[in-house]
Amino acid sequence: MNETEITTVKDLLARPKKIAIIPHRSPDGDAMGSTLALYHFLLKLNHIPIIISPNDFPNFLAWMPGADKVLVYENDKVNCTKILNEAELVFTLDFNALHRTGELEHVLNKLTVPFIMIDHHQKPDNFALVTYSNTAFGSTCEMIYNFISYLDETSRIDKNIGTCIYTGIMTDSGSFRFPSTTSSTHRVVANLIDLGIENSEIHNQIFDSNSYNRLQLLGRALQNMKVLPQHKTSYIALSQKELDEFHYQKGDTEGVVNYGLTIKGIHFAAIFIEHREENIIKISFRSQGSFDVNQFSREHFQGGGHINAAGGKSYDTLSNTIKKFEKIIATTEIE
Ligand code: 5GP
Ligand code: MN
């Protein structure tokens, strides 16, 4: 953020306000971590913050401090709309286009109060008074730490705020291994550990809370994996029938796409998941190296994200979606 933006934010936060904080639809560790960290921080500045998530968050994030205070728009549209209409300031975190909030977009579009966007995805839309957007960061949570520093309020960061920030940095960096993990990332984390956050316990909460069904579903996903070595590509498809077979819960397929990249010589991995109720195939793309999956997803699958991690969707059947994917791959150069 530049000096003008910092002054604008300081002015906006100078007196207590009703503040709405919005993560993207199907919030992940970084979306939940950043919104909750900001929530605890704004409480300390005597504001009245409230987090409104477009839809439910996965169970593996329910332990996070303040998660029980999060309102879910899909479950209580009337009340959430009322709160949003009364908000004096809106933060949008970990996304940069309002359509990423699903139906909530229509409510947000009508608001006239200032928005502050904090995000690390490519190509931000222009809806915020202050846009703190930087694709060099591996997580919005790391940006929240910097945001608080810009306001000269680092001393307010306590164990709760630190725990939330750590969660998002850890989940969005693949536990500190993705290329966006910098020495600054590790410095932030070091400061958080000095504040007393229980880093090892946080890792356990997120990654060691598997159900037997989830592991069985992972087994099926790995069995379903197709490898196209000549195109350095692998992909997994999961049908609704298979999800049902293993009593799929929200979050169960999180991270499964990454297994495709662990095969030697594979630089592009995809997963296609059928969600029959929503009539949609949800797609995740991951790459290693210079192949830009954000670009690929924008061009072919109505999505976006980052160079090495993006999401997309298809309204066709699972098998037609895969046929389309294979056809595109046949003529795509993957380095
Ligand atoms: P995931 O595959 O984990 O759902 O998403 C990977 C990355 O791409 C995340 O940073 C996510 O926020 C982003 N992403 C997922 N779906 C979409 C989409 O439809 N549009 C855009 N612009 N980004 C997406
Ligand atoms: Mn993120």
Side-chain angles (χ1 to χ4, degrees):
M1 287 201 296
N2 62 35
E3 284 305 321
T4 321
E5 290 166 331
I6 294 169
T7 309
T8 307
V9 175
K10 281 185 175 173
D11 288 348
L12 285 169
L13 296 178
R15 64 169 183 84
K17 278 200 168 90
K18 289 182 182 168
I19 303 177
I21 311 172
I22 318 287
H24 56 75
R25 202 180 140 75
S26 301
D28 55 7
D30 191 31
M32 285 290 283
S34 55
T35 51
L36 284 166
L38 184 67
Y39 169 83
H40 292 294
F41 173 68
L42 292 174
L43 272 182
K44 285 192 140 186
L45 296 183
N46 296 319
H47 293 286
I48 308 168
I50 184 111
I51 299 172
I52 298 181
S53 175
N55 62 345
D56 264 323
F57 51 84
N59 238 339
F60 67 84
L61 299 174
W63 61 272
M64 294 184 73
D68 54 325
K69 303 284 195 311
V70 174
L71 299 185
V72 176
Y73 175 72
E74 258 183 23
N75 300 345
D76 194 0
K77 292 183 186 174
V78 175
N79 185 38
C80 289
T81 305
K82 183 169 174 285
I83 290 169
L84 280 167
N85 285 330
E86 287 168 2
E88 297 163 88
L89 179 63
V90 178
F91 278 89
T92 57
L93 304 188
D94 200 35
F95 67 98
N96 61 20
L98 292 180
H99 67 80
R100 302 261 353 260
T101 64
E103 267 186 53
L104 185 54
E105 176 185 10
H106 306 300
V107 183
L108 296 174
N109 265 331
K110 286 196 197 119
L111 303 182
T112 52
V113 294
F115 278 53
I116 299 175
M117 179 210 296
I118 305 176
D119 180 64
H120 65 135
H121 294 88
Q122 301 193 350
K123 301 188 177 161
D125 276 356
N126 187 17
F127 60 81
L129 176 67
V130 176
T131 298
Y132 177 30
S133 164
N134 189 339
T135 58
F137 283 101
S139 65
T140 301
C141 274
E142 187 175 340
M143 297 175 74
I144 289 284
Y145 187 95
N146 287 356
F147 177 80
I148 295 174
S149 312
Y150 281 132
L151 302 179
D152 305 313
E153 300 283 3
T154 317
S155 62
R156 307 248 190 197
I157 300 179
D158 59 11
K159 189 176 167 184
N160 268 350
I161 298 174
T163 297
C164 298
I165 292 178
Y166 183 85
T167 301
I169 294 179
M170 182 189 75
T171 53
D172 257 27
S173 68
S175 302
F176 314 104
R177 73 202 149 93
F178 295 156
S180 53
T181 312
T182 63
S183 58
S184 309
T185 313
H186 281 286
R187 268 184 213 108
V188 167
V189 165
N191 293 340
L192 300 179
I193 293 173
D194 284 343
L195 283 173
I197 65 145
E198 289 162 58
N199 51 314
S200 179
E201 176 57 25
I202 295 171
H203 195 278
N204 289 346
Q205 290 274 18
I206 298 279
F207 295 109
D208 298 345
S209 58
N210 277 325
S211 64
Y212 178 69
N213 274 323
R214 182 179 184 218
L215 287 187
Q216 294 285 302
L217 178 63
L218 170 63
R220 176 64 60 83
L222 297 180
Q223 295 268 350
N224 287 355
M225 188 186 291
K226 295 270 185 311
V227 183
L228 310 170
Q230 70 278 31
H231 300 299
K232 302 184 175 136
T233 297
S234 74
Y235 71 85
I236 292 170
L238 284 172
S239 67
Q240 180 71 58
K241 196 161 162 272
E242 289 172 305
L243 298 186
D244 292 345
E245 191 181 332
F246 300 106
H247 307 281
Y248 168 81
Q249 302 279 318
K250 210 175 182 59
D252 278 356
T253 52
E254 195 77 38
V256 176
V257 61
N258 296 313
Y259 284 95
L261 280 186
T262 66
I263 299 178
K264 200 173 165 133
I266 296 300
H267 293 177
F268 180 34
I271 189 166
F272 300 86
I273 303 169
E274 183 181 33
H275 290 271
R276 204 173 291 142
E277 218 171 83
E278 297 169 64
N279 241 322
I280 198 176
I281 310 296
K282 291 204 176 146
I283 314 171
S284 290
F285 298 110
R286 299 291 185 268
S287 68
Q288 229 164 51
S290 58
F291 182 60
D292 185 345
V293 290
N294 164 57
Q295 180 66 27
F296 181 86
S297 186
R298 272 174 204 275
E299 207 170 307
H300 303 292
F301 292 100
Q302 302 174 50
H306 317 273
I307 290 177
N308 296 127
K313 50 187 175 290
S314 157
Y315 296 101
D316 208 338
T317 60
L318 187 57
S319 65
N320 281 346
T321 304
I322 285 162
K323 273 185 207 139
K324 173 180 165 181
F325 176 73
E326 287 209 354
K327 215 169 144 195
I328 299 166
I329 287 306
T331 59
T332 303
E333 185 65 39
I334 292 158
E335 298 107 59

